[in-house]
Amino acid sequence: MGKLFLILFFLVLLNVSFSATITGEVFEWYNFEKLDEVIVEINTSPIQRDISTEGVYSFEAPLGEYAIHAEYYEKGDLIYTDDQNVIITNEGNFVINLIMFPVL
């Protein structure tokens, strides 16, 4: 009976997925004011996208290496962008703030 309990216990543990919450604020490069309506994406599988509301975004991601990409448009033209790499090695809450720089 004890062996059966141990086997079931380990099977439950194998199905547990570890993940982290990645949040951040999005700022304009020259005055550090928050930017609304920035498209922020992370290359999880599947890719997650968020439109910053009040300059804030949030994602849930399993352990691994990811790229965060952000774009800000005005009147259909790409104005600002930012890219950040993040490595999630353990569960928790991670803050990755983005500073949006002009597209050159």
Side-chain angles (χ1 to χ4, degrees), residues 1-80:
M1 186 67 173
K3 289 182 183 179
L4 180 61
F5 176 76
L6 283 176
I7 290 171
L8 289 174
F9 178 75
F10 285 115
L11 285 175
V12 169
L13 284 180
L14 288 176
N15 288 327
V16 173
S17 174
F18 295 104
S19 66
T21 301
I22 302 168
T23 60
E25 297 178 323
V26 184
F27 299 98
E28 201 163 10
W29 70 278
Y30 68 91
N31 60 9
F32 296 106
E33 289 185 13
K34 289 184 189 178
L35 277 175
D36 281 340
E37 299 180 3
V38 175
I39 301 168
V40 184
E41 72 178 32
I42 186 168
N43 66 335
T44 54
S45 184
I47 291 174
Q48 298 177 63
R49 287 185 186 86
D50 192 5
I51 308 294
S52 67
T53 305
E54 298 181 11
V56 176
Y57 74 93
S58 179
F59 297 113
E60 291 289 326
L63 305 183
E65 295 184 30
Y66 301 100
I68 297 173
H69 177 74
E71 295 179 342
Y72 177 75
Y73 292 85
E74 282 183 0
K75 298 179 184 173
D77 294 325
L78 179 61
I79 305 297
Y80 298 133

Side-chain angles (χ1 to χ4, degrees), residues 13 20 35 71 89 92 96 99-100:
L13 284 180
L35 277 175
E71 295 179 342
T89 58
I96 309 292
I99 300 174
M100 304 297 289

Side-chain angles (χ1 to χ4, degrees), residues 86-101:
V86 61
I87 300 172
I88 304 298
T89 58
N90 58 326
E91 291 182 298
N93 296 317
F94 299 89
V95 177
I96 309 292
N97 291 324
L98 305 175
I99 300 174
M100 304 297 289
F101 287 98

